[in-house]
């Protein structure tokens, strides 16, 4: 699988279908690992934190979640196959898991959200086996690890704790968890539960999902400002002569 270096983060140049195929191959082989879905905010954090960057790059799959990452790849002359949003990856993965009666555990979000998400997903994907849920409001990671294992483990664990907490959790506890593949998916459980609405298809297709979320949640402006900062650093890197084709 071809890797594309975007400001130190090693992205997999895959389509959505290829990403899910690779994830399922790994599950069938029983090879433990984790999936990360960096957007520009996560890449920006990794640029200034070598230890976090290493955690991201150790993932089995590094998927380009944000349109800003795709634009950065083009600027640097290292094009990706396109966006692979974490929530789309999760949705297709669950569809394929339901066909094979694979097991899923949901971890994260506010109390009650993961349970509601499980109810909705069970209706949408009847063959999917959801072994359990736990909210993200635990004091010690041990509590979450024990909850997953007490439920009998799973083939896949969705870890929705937000970055960088979810990436650090997966990296630190992969061996202790009775699961094959962990997937860091940010706020996806809120969407699956119906407590947060995803942007309309037009915004998604135009790469303006971030703008829709900003209009809905103006308090996110501080986080959104990292996108132009990220793009400026990409441009600076390109103009310095270091950003040639890889």
């Amino acid at each position: 699988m071809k890797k594309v270096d975007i400001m130190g983060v090693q992205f997999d140049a895959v389509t959505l279908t290829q990403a899910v195929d690779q994830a399922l191959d790994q599950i069938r082989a029983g090879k433990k690992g984790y999936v990360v879905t960096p957007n520009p905010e996560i890449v920006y954090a990794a640029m200034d934190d070598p230890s976090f960057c290493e955690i991201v790059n150790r993932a089995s799959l590094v998927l380009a979640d944000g349109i800003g990452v795709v634009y950065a790849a083009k600027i640097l002359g290292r094009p990706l196959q396109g966006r692979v949003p974490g929530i789309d990856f999760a949705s297709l993965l669950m569809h394929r898991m339901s066909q094979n009666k694979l097991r899923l555990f949901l971890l994260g979000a506010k109390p009650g959200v993961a349970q509601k998400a499980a109810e909705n997903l069970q209706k949408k994907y009847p063959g999917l086996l959801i072994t359990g849920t736990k909210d993200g409001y635990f004091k010690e990671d041990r509590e979450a690890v024990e909850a997953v294992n007490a439920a009998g483990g799973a083939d896949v664990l969705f870890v929705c704790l937000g970055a960088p907490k979810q990436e650090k959790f997966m990296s630190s506890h992969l061996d202790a968890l009775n699961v094959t593949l962990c997937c860091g998916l940010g706020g996806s459980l809120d969407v699956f539960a119906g407590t947060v609405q995803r942007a309309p298809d037009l915004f998604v297709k135009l790469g303006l999902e971030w703008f829709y979320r900003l209009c809905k949640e103006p308090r996110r402006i501080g986080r959104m400002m990292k996108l132009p900062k990220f793009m400026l650093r990409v441009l600076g890197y390109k103009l310095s002569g270091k950003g040639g084709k890889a």
Side-chain angles (χ1 to χ4, degrees):
M1 200 68 69
K2 181 182 177 182
K3 290 283 188 178
V4 176
D5 186 320
I6 306 298
M7 306 304 286
V9 174
Q10 304 293 321
F11 284 91
D12 288 284
V14 292
T15 63
L16 173 60
T17 300
Q18 289 171 337
V20 172
D21 285 344
Q22 185 170 326
L24 286 169
D25 285 345
Q26 184 167 336
I27 294 166
R28 294 189 189 103
K31 183 181 178 182
K32 292 173 75 75
Y34 58 92
V35 179
V36 295
T37 57
N39 57 18
E41 184 180 352
I42 293 175
V43 179
Y44 192 82
M47 288 164 61
D48 296 322
D49 186 344
S51 62
F52 178 53
C53 188
E54 183 181 353
I55 288 172
V56 171
N57 287 336
R58 280 205 305 266
S60 303
L61 275 170
V62 183
L63 306 177
D65 182 271
I67 191 66
V69 173
V70 176
Y71 288 156
K74 291 179 179 178
I75 290 171
L76 296 173
R78 306 168 185 178
L80 293 160
Q81 297 267 17
R83 263 186 88 202
V84 184
I87 195 163
D88 291 342
F89 169 79
S91 297
L92 182 55
L93 179 61
M94 287 187 289
H95 170 68
R96 299 280 297 278
M97 288 175 66
S98 70
Q99 296 174 332
N100 295 278
K101 298 191 182 304
L102 295 177
R103 301 168 302 146
L104 173 68
F105 191 101
L106 306 178
L107 172 65
K110 294 180 179 178
V113 173
Q115 181 58 43
K116 179 60 179 176
E119 293 171 6
N120 292 345
L121 294 172
Q122 203 75 76
K123 293 175 185 176
K124 187 173 183 179
Y125 308 105
L128 184 65
L129 305 176
I130 299 181
T131 61
T133 67
K134 180 170 177 56
D135 64 68
Y137 285 68
F138 47 86
K139 293 182 179 179
E140 297 182 10
D141 288 0
R142 172 178 51 81
E143 298 174 39
V145 173
E146 290 177 353
V148 175
N149 292 344
D155 298 294
V156 177
L157 170 65
F158 284 175
V159 184
C160 303
L161 304 174
K165 185 177 180 179
Q166 62 194 16
E167 290 79 15
K168 292 180 179 179
F169 177 90
M170 294 188 296
S171 175
S172 297
H173 304 294
L174 182 63
D175 290 340
L177 287 161
N178 183 20
V179 299
T180 304
L181 190 67
C182 297
C183 304
L185 297 168
S188 296
L189 288 184
D190 290 293
V191 177
F192 293 140
T195 57
V196 171
Q197 295 299 314
R198 193 179 181 191
D201 289 344
L202 179 61
F203 284 82
V204 175
K205 290 177 181 177
L206 293 175
L208 294 173
E209 199 166 357
W210 62 271
F211 180 70
Y212 178 85
R213 293 179 69 186
L214 180 59
C215 291
K216 286 285 188 178
E217 302 176 68
R219 59 184 176 78
R220 296 176 63 91
I221 185 66
R223 292 178 58 183
M224 293 297 185
M225 285 306 297
K226 290 182 180 178
L227 175 58
K229 290 180 180 178
F230 168 69
M231 298 308 298
L232 284 173
R233 288 184 68 171
V234 170
L235 285 169
Y237 186 77
K238 174 70 174 179
L239 293 173
S240 72
K242 299 176 182 178
K245 291 186 178 181

